[in-house]
Amino acid sequence: AMLGGPTGTRVGAPMMIGEDVLGILAVACYRPNAFGEDDIVLLSNVAQQAALAVDNARHHATVEDQARRDSLTGVFNNKHLHLQLAETFARCRAENRPLSVIMVDIDHFKDYNDTYGHVIGDEVLRRVAQTIEERVPPGSIVGRWGGEEFTIILPGATAEGAYAVAENLRRGMSEMPLRTGSNRSIPTPTISQGIAAYPNNAASDDELILLADKALYKAKETGRSGIMTA
């Protein structure tokens, strides 16, 4: 489309993929009647190429993001979690900020698979991951460490701040009712959590994970829904 007037000329072409409009490529000139039909055809061709480039970039970004995610729960996978922890630790150390890690384990998760089947077990994993993501502070990093274990990275959080997050997650589990496909009630899962903080407990990212994991196992020894700090 072209608009002309005494103050100049504007010409635009939609950037389309099929029926979807990704944007508009627009050109303006201060001179009136500056563009002709050939210019409109050229702009339309450029807009189409730009649309293809944008669409390809979006698909590439989607594929890259999927490679970082756990296919079942949608949170970061173990490999990307390690990368995120190393980068976050280096940044917090450089900025002289605290950093805490919470290791989370679903209590007696095997019972869900044994009693209700793996479909319900998978649903429990998804719902727990969703609850964690909904209840952690903005800027937190959530990933699946493996099996029924999750890791939460909390930039800027002290051990006390992480403990408050863990308490919030513990409450969140109790507010997560579950039912089978036949509308049969399922016991609400509980979680055990272990916390470690930099610089109070750990001097490296590896030590953070090690100490948080040890705290988690101490929490599990106390029974369901325990929280322990390194």
Side-chain angles (χ1 to χ4, degrees), residues 80-95:
H80 192 65
L81 196 59
H82 276 282
L83 295 174
Q84 285 287 310
L85 178 59
E87 291 174 5
T88 306
F89 182 86
R91 186 169 65 250
C92 286
R93 183 171 56 185
E95 297 172 355

Side-chain angles (χ1 to χ4, degrees), residues 83-145:
L83 295 174
Q84 285 287 310
L85 178 59
E87 291 174 5
T88 306
F89 182 86
R91 186 169 65 250
C92 286
R93 183 171 56 185
E95 297 172 355
N96 198 28
R97 298 173 66 211
L99 170 66
S100 291
V101 166
I102 306 176
M103 298 295 283
V104 180
D105 188 90
I106 303 174
D107 296 322
H108 305 295
F109 175 72
K110 185 174 180 292
D111 293 347
Y112 285 100
N113 285 330
D114 292 346
T115 305
Y116 304 103
H118 287 275
V119 171
I120 294 299
D122 287 350
E123 181 62 18
V124 170
L125 286 169
R126 279 191 290 265
R127 295 288 296 277
V128 168
Q130 180 183 359
T131 300
I132 292 173
E133 286 199 300
E134 289 173 351
R135 285 184 169 256
V136 294
S140 303
I141 300 163
V142 179
R144 186 178 177 191
W145 190 256

